[in-house]
Amino acid sequence: MEFLTTLTTNVPDGTADATVEDTRAREALRAAELVEQGHLLRLWRPPVEPGAWRTLGLWRAASETELKGILATLPLHKWMTVEITPLNPHPNDPATKKS
């Protein structure tokens, strides 16, 4: 099953820059692992206010419960608000049409 997520990250005031950079580096490594495992399909960064971090993601998991567990493994998760939207196939989806 596929899911659309909105991940909004709010780093607490006073967090050391080195901590933020280390956490972001670990986030990139974990994201690459999730790509390899077939869970993370796409990421987008929509326009946001300066200093705000928001990411839209397309994910694959067997269930929403599994996805929540996967997202909890992200190093930035401790600073995230997560919104999950389950996606069902649409009969007119061009990706499912054969040429």
Side-chain angles (χ1 to χ4, degrees), residues 6 17 21 30 33 38 40 50-52 54 56-59 62 67 69 72-73 75 80 82 85 87-89 95:
T6 301
D17 289 344
E21 291 308 313
R30 182 63 182 137
E33 292 171 353
L40 177 55
R54 193 164 60 114
L56 302 178
L58 180 61
W59 300 80
L67 179 61
T73 70
M80 283 182 184
V82 177
T85 304
L87 301 173
N88 294 311

Side-chain angles (χ1 to χ4, degrees), residues 33-82:
E33 292 171 353
L34 293 171
V35 169
E36 288 295 318
Q37 294 170 10
H39 293 297
L40 177 55
L41 306 177
R42 298 286 307 271
L43 290 174
W44 296 269
R45 181 167 288 152
V48 293
E49 299 295 321
W53 299 0
R54 193 164 60 114
T55 303
L56 302 178
L58 180 61
W59 300 80
R60 183 176 293 131
S63 66
E64 188 169 333
T65 300
E66 180 186 32
L67 179 61
K68 287 177 180 179
I70 291 166
L71 295 174
T73 70
L74 294 170
L76 288 171
H77 187 265
K78 61 187 172 191
W79 298 328
M80 283 182 184
T81 301
V82 177

Side-chain angles (χ1 to χ4, degrees), residues 1-37:
M1 185 168 189
E2 291 181 339
F3 300 88
L4 179 67
T5 61
T6 301
L7 309 173
T8 304
T9 304
N10 293 297
V11 177
D13 289 338
T15 303
D17 289 344
T19 300
V20 174
E21 291 308 313
D22 174 66
T23 306
R24 290 180 86 166
R26 290 185 295 113
E27 182 85 0
L29 292 173
R30 182 63 182 137
E33 292 171 353
L34 293 171
V35 169
E36 288 295 318
Q37 294 170 10

